[in-house]
Amino acid sequence: MSIRGQACIVGAYEHPLRKAPDHSVAQLHAEVAKGAIDDAGLSHDDIDAFYCAGDAPGANAWSMANYLNLRKLRHLDSTDMGGCSYLIHVAHAAEAIAAGKCNVALITLAGRPNSEGSSGTQVRVRGVNLPDAPYELPYSPVPLNLYAMCAMRHMHDFGTTSEQLAWIKVAASHHAQHNPHAMLRDVVTVEDVLASPMISDPLHRLDACVVSDGGGALIVARPEIAKSLRRPVVRITGTGESVQHHMGGQVDITYTASAWTGARAFEEAGVTPADIDYASIYDSFTITVLLQLEDLGFCKKGEGGRFVSDGNLISGVGKLPFNTDGGGLCNNHPANRGGMTKVIEAVRQLRGEAHPRVQVPDCRLALANAIGGAIGHRHGAATLIMERE
């Protein structure tokens, strides 16, 4: 069963804080939930489905449901796939709505890594009962080093350069200057990126995302409800989710699971990469963006370096505007899980509510893509294609 056109995103809210030492994580979840419900023009009692992931505090989804006082729930989902969880939640909510399991689904994300000092330089493989722990813990893998390894391999195989990667940060900074909440609002140049300290060869400090507190929330609802709310209707037209793992060592680290999720989402939506007006691309590091653009089919494998160069990702300048809020590279990366904000900015673009300086004219089709876990390692990915009705 296809979910094409079976559900719509009717509410979207991004928390304005980037550091929240006086907030609990539960409070942040509550604040983004209220923001999304208000944005949709619905009430608390309209919510009959709730979706959250591992960032939510408590024993499970019912802990947050209790805290949020969601009294009319008849469908829950606590799928955790890291940063791409929230795109998967949108897809699962659309499936549940199409199957008649619920009418209005709330999806929340929140965290405090900025206040708690958590970043991509820390080992995340913990616990002796994890199946991979005996093999990985002795080598202390950290996300930064794993992404640097993929960047170095891409450079070796395809001739990609640090200057080309830097253009991704430059594009994000051109957009972030118009976002009053962005953590990094200064426009940077390729030279600025290359002059920043080398953190893990070949990645410089400015090749990495920010670490922020905050969060976001989405509301997914039946099309007839969406049409009654007097808001621009954003239809969900295509989705895809998958994983990439070590496969016994037989894995090419120059591609991601987006190679599968993108193809499935485009097929379901009945469109091609050439039809996309705006793209929200997970940007934990610059290399993350480049690999996903290739895997999603915006350019051929190995041609990502040329594709992102010379401002091609800058709104109003290039062919494919991306992350017009500044993305994780400059705006925020709440809870170290950036997928939620990718969907939120795509909704803004489709509604015509992005900042006027970065709004894509007549934006009709938007894509959001996210990674969960780490490339160069086992990870998940998810793709959403959305359309303005």
Side-chain angles (χ1 to χ4, degrees), residues 247-270:
M247 292 181 269
Q250 300 177 16
V251 60
D252 180 352
I253 61 173
T254 64
Y255 77 94
T256 72
S258 302
W260 302 305
T261 66
R264 293 166 184 164
F266 282 119
E267 180 180 9
E268 184 170 40

Side-chain angles (χ1 to χ4, degrees), residues 21-34:
D22 298 326
H23 284 59
S24 69
V25 174
Q27 181 182 352
L28 291 170
H29 273 271
E31 291 176 0
V32 297
K34 183 180 186 304

